[in-house]
């Protein structure tokens, strides 16, 4: 397996300090009561795993998200992607152009809206996202290995209560 990107601080370990001296780890008890702080700290761990394991695919988190949405929603429009991912249209335009230039997606006329364009994966895009999704499933399992399956499901459900 790949190396664990967690540092001693991220693991919550405290370095041994000589008696009478200040420990290396700061008192973060107040911060640790905050949802945002804890979500961010967990995200840093998951994000490090993601960057390491997605590098061979040349995918960033947003690229993966767009390709995954298109794999499960062929013909989705840019507007739908922006809404689903909470990103601004100008940011998606360059992302779509990049994915198109890599031969991963293609634009087709939307079947119900003559003004809209549906986005579809190419065969290369389908192959890439299938492999990348399997890698992400494994990296998420590795990143959350300290949780039981039930704890992981509960964590996901609780986080979704905040943003859904």
């Amino acid at each position: 397996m790949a190396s664990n990107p967690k540092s001693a601080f991220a693991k919550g370990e405290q370095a041994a300090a000589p008696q009478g001296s200040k420990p290396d780890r700061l008192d973060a008890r107040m911060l640790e009561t905050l949802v945002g702080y804890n979500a961010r700290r967990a995200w840093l761990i998951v994000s490090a795993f993601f960057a390491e394991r997605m590098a061979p695919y040349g995918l960033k988190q947003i690229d993966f998200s767009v390709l995954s949405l298109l794999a499960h929603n062929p013909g989705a429009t840019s507007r739908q992607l922006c809404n689903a991912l909470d990103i601004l249209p100008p940011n998606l335009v360059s992302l779509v152009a990049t994915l198109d230039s890599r031969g991963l997606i293609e634009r087709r006329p939307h079947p119900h809206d003559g003004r809209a364009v549906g986005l579809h994966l190419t065969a290369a895009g389908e192959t890439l996202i299938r492999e990348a999704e399997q890698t992400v499933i494994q990296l998420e399992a590795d990143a959350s290995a300290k949780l039981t399956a039930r704890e992981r499901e509960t964590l996901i459900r609780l986080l979704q209560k905040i943003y859904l």
Side-chain angles (χ1 to χ4, degrees):
M1 261 310 121
S3 62
N4 188 337
K6 296 179 183 180
S7 67
F9 179 75
K11 289 181 185 175
E13 296 173 0
Q14 185 171 329
Q19 196 166 13
S21 72
K22 197 173 187 180
D24 288 342
R25 190 169 191 268
L26 298 175
D27 180 355
R29 286 177 292 190
M30 189 283 181
L31 292 175
E32 290 168 353
T33 67
L34 305 174
V35 172
Y37 178 81
N38 286 290
R40 175 72 174 147
R41 293 300 305 269
W43 171 245
L44 290 171
I45 299 302
V46 175
S47 183
F49 273 95
F50 189 97
E52 176 186 330
R53 308 252 182 106
M54 287 293 107
Y57 300 100
L59 296 177
K60 295 179 277 185
Q61 292 145 354
I62 189 66
D63 304 328
F64 173 82
S65 296
V66 168
L67 292 174
S68 182
L69 283 171
L70 291 176
H72 300 280
N73 303 277
T77 65
S78 294
R79 172 173 280 157
Q80 290 173 310
L81 292 173
C82 287
N83 290 337
L85 298 172
D86 197 22
I87 58 176
L88 296 172
N91 296 335
L92 185 67
V93 169
S94 62
L95 175 61
V96 166
T98 300
L99 295 174
D100 186 27
S101 71
R102 287 182 62 186
L104 300 175
I105 64 170
E106 61 187 10
R107 298 170 177 101
R108 297 183 200 157
H110 193 277
H112 307 297
D113 183 349
R115 299 169 298 167
V117 173
L119 300 171
H120 298 265
L121 295 178
T122 62
E126 288 177 14
T127 299
L128 180 77
I129 197 59
R130 233 183 350 263
E131 293 174 16
E133 283 181 336
Q134 289 305 308
T135 300
V136 166
I137 289 167
Q138 184 59 53
L139 79 84
E140 287 255 330
D142 294 343
S144 61
K146 291 181 180 180
L147 302 176
T148 66
R150 189 171 191 168
E151 288 171 332
R152 186 176 182 281
E153 290 170 11
T154 299
L155 176 60
I156 290 170
R157 192 175 64 253
L158 291 172
L159 289 170
Q160 287 173 345
K161 283 181 85 169
I162 292 173
Y163 72 88
L164 289 180

PDB file of all heavy atoms in Angstrom, residues 58-74:
ATOM      1  N   GLY A  58      -4.054  11.774 -13.459  1.00  0.00           N
ATOM      2  CA  GLY A  58      -4.047  13.186 -13.833  1.00  0.00           C
ATOM      3  C   GLY A  58      -5.324  13.901 -13.429  1.00  0.00           C
ATOM      4  O   GLY A  58      -5.759  14.827 -14.110  1.00  0.00           O
ATOM      5  N   LEU A  59      -5.934  13.457 -12.312  1.00  0.00           N
ATOM      6  CA  LEU A  59      -7.201  14.038 -11.879  1.00  0.00           C
ATOM      7  C   LEU A  59      -7.068  14.776 -10.559  1.00  0.00           C
ATOM      8  O   LEU A  59      -6.471  14.268  -9.610  1.00  0.00           O
ATOM      9  CB  LEU A  59      -8.260  12.940 -11.711  1.00  0.00           C
ATOM     10  CG  LEU A  59      -8.669  12.176 -12.961  1.00  0.00           C
ATOM     11  CD1 LEU A  59      -9.661  11.074 -12.601  1.00  0.00           C
ATOM     12  CD2 LEU A  59      -9.248  13.105 -14.005  1.00  0.00           C
ATOM     13  N   LYS A  60      -7.666  15.963 -10.540  1.00  0.00           N
ATOM     14  CA  LYS A  60      -7.854  16.698  -9.283  1.00  0.00           C
ATOM     15  C   LYS A  60      -9.244  16.334  -8.777  1.00  0.00           C
ATOM     16  O   LYS A  60     -10.032  15.702  -9.486  1.00  0.00           O
ATOM     17  CB  LYS A  60      -7.731  18.204  -9.518  1.00  0.00           C
ATOM     18  CG  LYS A  60      -6.327  18.636  -9.956  1.00  0.00           C
ATOM     19  CD  LYS A  60      -6.258  20.109 -10.197  1.00  0.00           C
ATOM     20  CE  LYS A  60      -6.764  20.365 -11.599  1.00  0.00           C
ATOM     21  NZ  LYS A  60      -6.680  21.709 -12.056  1.00  0.00           N
ATOM     22  N   GLN A  61      -9.552  16.763  -7.574  1.00  0.00           N
ATOM     23  CA  GLN A  61     -10.836  16.418  -6.974  1.00  0.00           C
ATOM     24  C   GLN A  61     -12.005  16.889  -7.832  1.00  0.00           C
ATOM     25  O   GLN A  61     -12.978  16.144  -8.025  1.00  0.00           O
ATOM     26  CB  GLN A  61     -10.917  16.985  -5.556  1.00  0.00           C
ATOM     27  CG  GLN A  61      -9.953  16.284  -4.636  1.00  0.00           C
ATOM     28  CD  GLN A  61      -9.353  17.179  -3.583  1.00  0.00           C
ATOM     29  OE1 GLN A  61      -9.565  18.380  -3.578  1.00  0.00           O
ATOM     30  NE2 GLN A  61      -8.592  16.595  -2.693  1.00  0.00           N
ATOM     31  N   ILE A  62     -11.940  18.085  -8.366  1.00  0.00           N
ATOM     32  CA  ILE A  62     -13.046  18.612  -9.153  1.00  0.00           C
ATOM     33  C   ILE A  62     -13.182  17.849 -10.476  1.00  0.00           C
ATOM     34  O   ILE A  62     -14.285  17.578 -10.939  1.00  0.00           O
ATOM     35  CB  ILE A  62     -12.927  20.146  -9.367  1.00  0.00           C
ATOM     36  CG1 ILE A  62     -14.199  20.701  -9.992  1.00  0.00           C
ATOM     37  CG2 ILE A  62     -11.698  20.497 -10.187  1.00  0.00           C
ATOM     38  CD1 ILE A  62     -15.414  20.613  -9.116  1.00  0.00           C
ATOM     39  N   ASP A  63     -12.052  17.478 -11.083  1.00  0.00           N
ATOM     40  CA  ASP A  63     -12.090  16.687 -12.316  1.00  0.00           C
ATOM     41  C   ASP A  63     -12.793  15.358 -12.058  1.00  0.00           C
ATOM     42  O   ASP A  63     -13.667  14.937 -12.826  1.00  0.00           O
ATOM     43  CB  ASP A  63     -10.676  16.373 -12.825  1.00  0.00           C
ATOM     44  CG  ASP A  63      -9.816  17.584 -13.062  1.00  0.00           C
ATOM     45  OD1 ASP A  63     -10.355  18.640 -13.440  1.00  0.00           O
ATOM     46  OD2 ASP A  63      -8.587  17.480 -12.874  1.00  0.00           O
ATOM     47  N   PHE A  64     -12.382  14.707 -10.981  1.00  0.00           N
ATOM     48  CA  PHE A  64     -12.984  13.424 -10.619  1.00  0.00           C
ATOM     49  C   PHE A  64     -14.484  13.583 -10.399  1.00  0.00           C
ATOM     50  O   PHE A  64     -15.276  12.767 -10.876  1.00  0.00           O
ATOM     51  CB  PHE A  64     -12.319  12.859  -9.359  1.00  0.00           C
ATOM     52  CG  PHE A  64     -13.001  11.623  -8.845  1.00  0.00           C
ATOM     53  CD1 PHE A  64     -12.721  10.383  -9.405  1.00  0.00           C
ATOM     54  CD2 PHE A  64     -13.933  11.706  -7.832  1.00  0.00           C
ATOM     55  CE1 PHE A  64     -13.372   9.239  -8.953  1.00  0.00           C
ATOM     56  CE2 PHE A  64     -14.595  10.569  -7.379  1.00  0.00           C
ATOM     57  CZ  PHE A  64     -14.311   9.337  -7.941  1.00  0.00           C
ATOM     58  N   SER A  65     -14.876  14.626  -9.695  1.00  0.00           N
ATOM     59  CA  SER A  65     -16.297  14.842  -9.406  1.00  0.00           C
ATOM     60  C   SER A  65     -17.104  15.030 -10.679  1.00  0.00           C
ATOM     61  O   SER A  65     -18.187  14.459 -10.833  1.00  0.00           O
ATOM     62  CB  SER A  65     -16.470  16.052  -8.481  1.00  0.00           C
ATOM     63  OG  SER A  65     -15.863  15.815  -7.235  1.00  0.00           O
ATOM     64  N   VAL A  66     -16.598  15.828 -11.604  1.00  0.00           N
ATOM     65  CA  VAL A  66     -17.311  16.064 -12.866  1.00  0.00           C
ATOM     66  C   VAL A  66     -17.419  14.764 -13.658  1.00  0.00           C
ATOM     67  O   VAL A  66     -18.502  14.411 -14.134  1.00  0.00           O
ATOM     68  CB  VAL A  66     -16.621  17.169 -13.700  1.00  0.00           C
ATOM     69  CG1 VAL A  66     -17.161  17.208 -15.122  1.00  0.00           C
ATOM     70  CG2 VAL A  66     -16.802  18.524 -13.022  1.00  0.00           C
ATOM     71  N   LEU A  67     -16.318  14.042 -13.778  1.00  0.00           N
ATOM     72  CA  LEU A  67     -16.350  12.798 -14.548  1.00  0.00           C
ATOM     73  C   LEU A  67     -17.278  11.768 -13.898  1.00  0.00           C
ATOM     74  O   LEU A  67     -18.021  11.077 -14.594  1.00  0.00           O
ATOM     75  CB  LEU A  67     -14.940  12.225 -14.701  1.00  0.00           C
ATOM     76  CG  LEU A  67     -13.993  13.037 -15.588  1.00  0.00           C
ATOM     77  CD1 LEU A  67     -12.586  12.445 -15.539  1.00  0.00           C
ATOM     78  CD2 LEU A  67     -14.491  13.125 -17.019  1.00  0.00           C
ATOM     79  N   SER A  68     -17.263  11.692 -12.586  1.00  0.00           N
ATOM     80  CA  SER A  68     -18.142  10.751 -11.895  1.00  0.00           C
ATOM     81  C   SER A  68     -19.606  11.124 -12.100  1.00  0.00           C
ATOM     82  O   SER A  68     -20.443  10.254 -12.365  1.00  0.00           O
ATOM     83  CB  SER A  68     -17.801  10.700 -10.400  1.00  0.00           C
ATOM     84  OG  SER A  68     -18.610   9.753  -9.746  1.00  0.00           O
ATOM     85  N   LEU A  69     -19.916  12.405 -11.985  1.00  0.00           N
ATOM     86  CA  LEU A  69     -21.299  12.834 -12.221  1.00  0.00           C
ATOM     87  C   LEU A  69     -21.736  12.512 -13.642  1.00  0.00           C
ATOM     88  O   LEU A  69     -22.857  12.051 -13.868  1.00  0.00           O
ATOM     89  CB  LEU A  69     -21.455  14.328 -11.940  1.00  0.00           C
ATOM     90  CG  LEU A  69     -21.523  14.726 -10.464  1.00  0.00           C
ATOM     91  CD1 LEU A  69     -21.461  16.239 -10.311  1.00  0.00           C
ATOM     92  CD2 LEU A  69     -22.778  14.171  -9.815  1.00  0.00           C
ATOM     93  N   LEU A  70     -20.857  12.725 -14.610  1.00  0.00           N
ATOM     94  CA  LEU A  70     -21.208  12.428 -15.996  1.00  0.00           C
ATOM     95  C   LEU A  70     -21.331  10.923 -16.243  1.00  0.00           C
ATOM     96  O   LEU A  70     -22.157  10.485 -17.049  1.00  0.00           O
ATOM     97  CB  LEU A  70     -20.204  13.054 -16.960  1.00  0.00           C
ATOM     98  CG  LEU A  70     -20.227  14.578 -17.038  1.00  0.00           C
ATOM     99  CD1 LEU A  70     -19.122  15.085 -17.961  1.00  0.00           C
ATOM    100  CD2 LEU A  70     -21.590  15.088 -17.472  1.00  0.00           C
ATOM    101  N   ALA A  71     -20.541  10.132 -15.538  1.00  0.00           N
ATOM    102  CA  ALA A  71     -20.647   8.673 -15.674  1.00  0.00           C
ATOM    103  C   ALA A  71     -22.010   8.182 -15.204  1.00  0.00           C
ATOM    104  O   ALA A  71     -22.569   7.254 -15.773  1.00  0.00           O
ATOM    105  CB  ALA A  71     -19.539   7.988 -14.877  1.00  0.00           C
ATOM    106  N   HIS A  72     -22.530   8.839 -14.179  1.00  0.00           N
ATOM    107  CA  HIS A  72     -23.803   8.408 -13.606  1.00  0.00           C
ATOM    108  C   HIS A  72     -24.991   9.244 -14.086  1.00  0.00           C
ATOM    109  O   HIS A  72     -26.139   8.918 -13.756  1.00  0.00           O
ATOM    110  CB  HIS A  72     -23.702   8.429 -12.076  1.00  0.00           C
ATOM    111  CG  HIS A  72     -22.615   7.521 -11.576  1.00  0.00           C
ATOM    112  ND1 HIS A  72     -22.775   6.163 -11.446  1.00  0.00           N
ATOM    113  CD2 HIS A  72     -21.326   7.782 -11.226  1.00  0.00           C
ATOM    114  CE1 HIS A  72     -21.640   5.620 -11.019  1.00  0.00           C
ATOM    115  NE2 HIS A  72     -20.751   6.587 -10.880  1.00  0.00           N
ATOM    116  N   ASN A  73     -24.703  10.302 -14.852  1.00  0.00           N
ATOM    117  CA  ASN A  73     -25.747  11.190 -15.381  1.00  0.00           C
ATOM    118  C   ASN A  73     -25.367  11.629 -16.793  1.00  0.00           C
ATOM    119  O   ASN A  73     -25.117  12.814 -17.039  1.00  0.00           O
ATOM    120  CB  ASN A  73     -25.898  12.427 -14.491  1.00  0.00           C
ATOM    121  CG  ASN A  73     -26.213  12.084 -13.065  1.00  0.00           C
ATOM    122  OD1 ASN A  73     -27.353  11.845 -12.717  1.00  0.00           O
ATOM    123  ND2 ASN A  73     -25.190  12.029 -12.216  1.00  0.00           N
ATOM    124  N   PRO A  74     -25.309  10.699 -17.743  1.00  0.00           N
ATOM    125  CA  PRO A  74     -24.909  11.083 -19.104  1.00  0.00           C
ATOM    126  C   PRO A  74     -25.817  12.177 -19.650  1.00  0.00           C
ATOM    127  O   PRO A  74     -27.031  12.150 -19.452  1.00  0.00           O
ATOM    128  CB  PRO A  74     -25.088   9.791 -19.916  1.00  0.00           C
ATOM    129  CG  PRO A  74     -25.218   8.691 -18.918  1.00  0.00           C
ATOM    130  CD  PRO A  74     -25.680   9.302 -17.638  1.00  0.00           C
TER     131      PRO A  74
END
